Amino acid sequence: MYTTRFLDLPPFAQAAGTVRLPGSKSISNRVLLLAGLSAGTTEVHDLLDSDDTQVMLAALEQLGCRLERSGSVLRITGLGGRLAVHEAQLFLGNAGTAMRPLTAALALLAATQGGDFALSGVPRMHERPIGDLVDALRQLGCAVDCTGTPGYPPLRLRGQAGGTLHTAQPIRVRGDVSSQFLTALLLALPLVAADGEIVVEVEGELISKPYVEITLNLLARFGIAVRREGWQRFVIPAGSAYRSPGRVHVEGDASSASYFVALGAIAAVDAPVRIEGVGTDSIQGDIRFIEAAQAMGAEVTGGPGFLEVRRGAWPLKAITLDCNHIPDAAMTLAVMALYACGSTLLTNIASWRVKETDRIAAMAAELRKLGAGVLEGADFIEVTPPAALTPAAIHTYDDHRVAMCFSLAAFAGVPVRILDPKCVAKTFPDYFEALFDLVRTPVEAVPVITVDGPTASGKGTLASAVAKALGYHFLDSGAVYRATALTAMRIGVAPDDEASLARIAATLPLHFLGGDAHLGDENVADALRAENVGAMASKVSAWPAVREALRQLQLSFRRIPGLVADGRDMGTVIFPSATLKVFLTASAATRAERRYKQLISKGIPANISTLRAELEARDERDRNRSVAPLKPAEDALLLDNSELTVEASMEQVLEAWEQRRPFG
């Protein structure tokens, strides 16, 4: 997962390949709660690992459920409808799928078995309405207090053992703000339906009906056959009791599938985008997003557990659509509208305003940054694409879906910056990695920063720090030559066997993790620092065939989203078109002192004067060598880091980088 302050996406061109979706958030948190309320043990397979599920798991563990993990399987031993803990303070982040149903379940259990529970979340959760659910629970006789703003979390739920509830009359709940209020009641009421049926009646139009369908489907799997009379009346049978099905598989998230369906519609020109984990047999309402994508021109095929999407009509077709049935996935349509001919109108989306952020306002603001024409209202948004998109830094509002939607704007020929990319952890922590595995872009569009300089100037440390700050790939060019030397030494290739050395260089399985060099699965960072390896690398680097093979290897590190490369000729020979070139000019005296401290800390005797003389001699050789002499590129930023810390040097490089970006 990218944890950087921002993530710059270069202009993307095409897409193809296969993505495996994480588990559905809606299914995951419902299954977790149902398993936690049931008697016995439930094996949950392919559970979503995200912020929302983590807060639900933490809450269940606090309440006394036993959790056992084995690979991708989670075993939950539930409470059997009986409280094991009667007092708890539960922090539920910004997870509506945890806050609403836990509120209902704990309110009912506290009212009948006794308890005192405090539920809170992040500041945005305390802005998300829950008053309609609170009103319904109070109808039943539950003691529910809003301890902050009336109608909003945080909440306190209290009751005395032996209490009774008013279940003889229908419980009424509004359905036009969020379907999660109804879902919460349906998940909780079987706990108190032992002596008679319980009726829930919905006031107003029920929105997001497909999410209620998910709830009913899962209730049935746990032994509760709710009778639905249209969308206004739901009956929980008398004698209801949760029974674990033993084993539950969580299908892939259909809302997350929407980004890859859109990706295929926009960019799968030569080969399809294949989506695995969710298919045409999905129980999730958002699977109907494929109908909207097809209406805009996508070619979609699929079957049980998979979808395949290609670009069909281009440009895409503008549509007018009532999105009540796909409220979360509909956000993706707003970005697809950037590629459509005409204006796209999405209606019946009032629920967007009470999600992780006010999504209508958020989508309108960020689409306008890109140059789109946007009209918005209480329950609609209309998007008209511009003649050409403007590069923009997208504010994500701590909303995972905003971040994922706007990643698709990078196909419009301009770079896009996603602020706070880690917000995708709510449902899809590895979203950007999955996206980058599928997209293709011309190599010259991938940004490069080079950091060159003489021996011991700190270029590797600085380049690694800059790469980490930007979320870019890292290339230590010196390690490339040393890794070739190390491999040759291990298999007995002589230093004068140019052809064999070139073959090693051409197939070197080198990559970098956390700044360390790896050959295949082996971390060779320490091995590369050995004196004999350095001596061998000096001989290896003299051969033209080896240098050419390693040049090609170094060029291959230029991958999405970007690259930071350090060495002696990165900005002059390997990446002469780099967006930013930095050349370090730390003095020989400073470099000798740094090297001296490094050696002494390892118990290696050293002399500063000798080290300085050796560095100055090395500088002279590097400056005067016939191939790729050490010198700054004409357009390089000269950075004297003699008196600067790594952090201060990095800030100067990042400031120079910002000046070269188009985001303002």
Side-chain angles (χ1 to χ4, degrees):
M1 181 176 71
Y2 285 88
T3 59
T4 51
R5 289 190 299 110
F6 58 82
L7 181 60
D8 287 351
L9 309 181
F12 298 149
Q14 294 189 11
T18 300
V19 61
R20 181 79 186 180
L21 294 175
S24 161
K25 178 188 72 168
S26 298
I27 295 176
S28 290
N29 266 355
R30 285 168 171 81
V31 164
L32 289 178
L33 181 60
L34 290 169
L37 296 175
S38 298
T41 299
T42 304
E43 280 192 0
V44 184
H45 293 251
D46 298 325
L47 180 74
L48 171 66
D49 181 9
S50 73
D51 289 350
D52 278 21
T53 55
Q54 289 300 323
V55 297
M56 177 65 91
L57 286 167
L60 293 177
E61 206 159 27
Q62 274 186 262
L63 294 170
C65 296
R66 189 168 77 247
L67 309 180
E68 302 169 276
R69 295 172 177 81
S70 178
S72 64
V73 178
L74 174 68
R75 290 170 58 85
I76 304 174
T77 301
L79 303 175
R82 304 297 304 176
L83 284 173
V85 173
H86 291 263
E87 293 186 17
Q89 295 185 353
L90 305 179
F91 177 78
L92 301 173
N94 198 12
T97 55
M99 175 65 78
R100 276 73 179 266
L102 277 170
T103 293
L106 291 175
L108 296 179
L109 292 173
T112 54
Q113 298 176 28
D116 189 342
F117 300 97
L119 278 62
S120 64
V122 300
R124 174 57 187 170
M125 176 56 77
H126 297 169
E127 298 172 352
R128 298 177 67 178
I130 200 170
D132 294 316
L133 176 59
V134 169
D135 290 344
L137 292 170
R138 287 172 176 166
Q139 291 173 45
L140 284 158
C142 297
V144 182
D145 297 323
C146 298
T147 57
T149 304
Y152 297 84
L155 305 172
R156 187 178 181 191
L157 319 172
R158 292 171 294 149
Q160 298 295 321
T164 59
L165 295 171
H166 312 311
T167 58
Q169 299 299 316
I171 298 110
R172 302 184 66 80
V173 63
R174 283 181 61 186
D176 56 353
V177 175
S178 172
S179 66
Q180 287 183 6
F181 303 150
L182 174 60
T183 277
L185 291 171
L186 294 176
L187 292 172
L189 286 170
L191 295 167
V192 293
D195 299 329
E197 69 178 26
I198 302 177
V199 177
V200 181
E201 293 182 348
V202 176
E203 295 180 339
E205 180 190 3
L206 177 62
I207 64 172
S208 307
K209 297 180 182 71
Y211 287 101
V212 178
E213 289 276 25
I214 294 174
T215 302
L216 298 176
N217 184 296
L218 293 174
L219 281 166
R221 296 185 68 178
F222 280 82
I224 311 297
V226 176
R227 187 169 75 250
R228 177 168 71 83
E229 300 173 6
W231 291 104
Q232 301 304 123
R233 184 178 170 90
F234 299 81
V235 182
I236 289 91
S240 291
Y242 285 119
R243 298 189 302 274
S244 171
R247 185 175 186 271
V248 177
H249 169 76
V250 178
E251 66 179 51
D253 189 68
S255 300
S256 295
S258 72
Y259 313 118
F260 298 100
V261 172
L263 180 66
I266 295 166
V269 178
D270 298 327
V273 169
R274 181 180 173 90
I275 303 159
E276 295 182 347
V278 68
T280 53
D281 59 339
S282 173
I283 67 170
Q284 300 169 72
D286 272 354
I287 196 65
R288 292 186 60 191
F289 177 85
I290 63 177
E291 298 170 8
Q294 287 171 320
M296 294 189 79
E299 293 182 359
V300 185
T301 58
F306 82 93
L307 301 168
E308 287 193 348
V309 189
R310 293 175 180 266
R311 180 196 281 186
W314 192 257
L316 296 176
K317 303 172 185 176
I319 60 172
T320 296
L321 185 69
D322 181 328
C323 298
N324 180 57
H325 60 301
I326 52 169
D328 284 346
M331 294 174 68
T332 312
L333 298 174
V335 177
M336 289 177 70
L338 295 172
Y339 303 94
C341 182
S343 299
T344 292
L345 176 63
L346 308 176
T347 67
N348 209 355
I349 55 171
S351 65
W352 282 20
R353 293 203 182 273
V354 294
K355 295 287 188 175
E356 283 81 346
T357 186
D358 180 341
R359 286 175 169 168
I360 293 180
M363 295 298 288
E366 305 312 307
L367 286 164
R368 289 184 182 117
K369 286 183 184 177
L370 291 163
V374 183
L375 296 175
E376 60 176 298
D379 67 346
F380 76 88
I381 190 169
E382 184 180 66
V383 183
T384 303
L389 258 66
T390 302
I394 302 299
H395 181 44
T396 52
Y397 307 87
D398 195 27
D399 190 329
H400 55 134
R401 300 211 181 281
V402 173
M404 291 187 278
C405 282
F406 278 97
S407 67
L408 300 171
F411 285 94
V414 297
V416 174
R417 171 170 288 179
I418 304 296
L419 301 173
D420 188 28
K422 67 180 180 296
C423 68
V424 301
K426 185 175 177 68
T427 51
F428 201 156
D430 296 328
Y431 170 75
F432 287 106
E433 289 87 342
L435 177 68
F436 295 159
D437 281 345
L438 298 176
V439 300
R440 311 286 183 268
T441 197
V443 68
E444 60 271 15
V446 178
V448 176
I449 299 173
T450 61
V451 182
D452 289 319
T455 298
S457 59
K459 54 187 178 294
T461 303
L462 175 58
S464 178
V466 171
K468 184 177 181 180
L470 295 175
Y472 281 6
H473 299 286
F474 169 62
L475 168 61
D476 176 351
S477 66
V480 172
Y481 286 93
R482 292 191 293 273
T484 303
L486 176 65
T487 303
M489 293 167 65
R490 286 178 169 181
I491 63 177
V493 174
D496 59 352
D497 187 347
E498 181 179 4
S500 296
L501 291 169
R503 282 193 293 270
I504 291 172
T507 58
L508 202 64
L510 181 68
H511 61 282
F512 297 91
L513 291 174
D516 283 347
H518 292 247
L519 282 173
D521 295 330
E522 180 189 2
N523 186 335
V524 293
D526 290 336
L528 297 185
R529 297 188 184 101
E531 290 295 329
N532 60 340
V533 173
M536 178 70 165
S538 181
K539 298 173 183 177
V540 163
S541 64
W543 296 113
V546 174
R547 294 190 68 86
E548 177 56 27
L550 292 181
R551 188 179 79 87
Q552 294 303 321
L553 174 63
Q554 291 173 93
L555 291 174
S556 74
F557 278 84
R558 189 175 187 174
R559 301 191 301 271
I560 296 168
L563 174 67
V564 182
D566 90 88
R568 292 181 176 83
D569 60 359
M570 293 294 99
T572 54
V573 176
I574 307 300
F575 299 106
S577 63
T579 311
L580 172 63
K581 302 166 189 174
V582 178
F583 191 90
L584 302 182
T585 62
S587 67
T590 298
R591 289 183 282 134
E593 184 177 351
R594 290 174 181 169
R595 178 65 60 85
Y596 174 78
K597 290 178 179 179
Q598 184 182 57
L599 293 173
I600 292 299
S601 69
K602 296 179 179 179
I604 302 172
N607 178 277
I608 289 184
S609 297
T610 301
L611 289 172
R612 178 172 178 175
E614 290 174 350
L615 288 173
E616 290 175 338
R618 176 68 181 270
D619 291 348
E620 187 66 20
R621 289 196 303 272
D622 286 343
R623 282 193 294 265
N624 291 290
R625 65 190 181 189
S626 59
V627 179
L630 175 66
K631 62 178 181 178
E634 290 185 3
D635 55 347
L637 167 68
L638 301 182
L639 176 59
D640 184 353
N641 62 332
S642 300
E643 304 299 327
L644 298 177
T645 63
V646 174
E647 291 74 19
S649 298
M650 180 181 71
E651 286 304 318
Q652 289 204 23
V653 173
L654 292 177
E655 182 179 347
W657 180 242
E658 282 299 298
Q659 294 171 1
R660 288 162 171 77
R661 306 308 287 154
F663 304 117

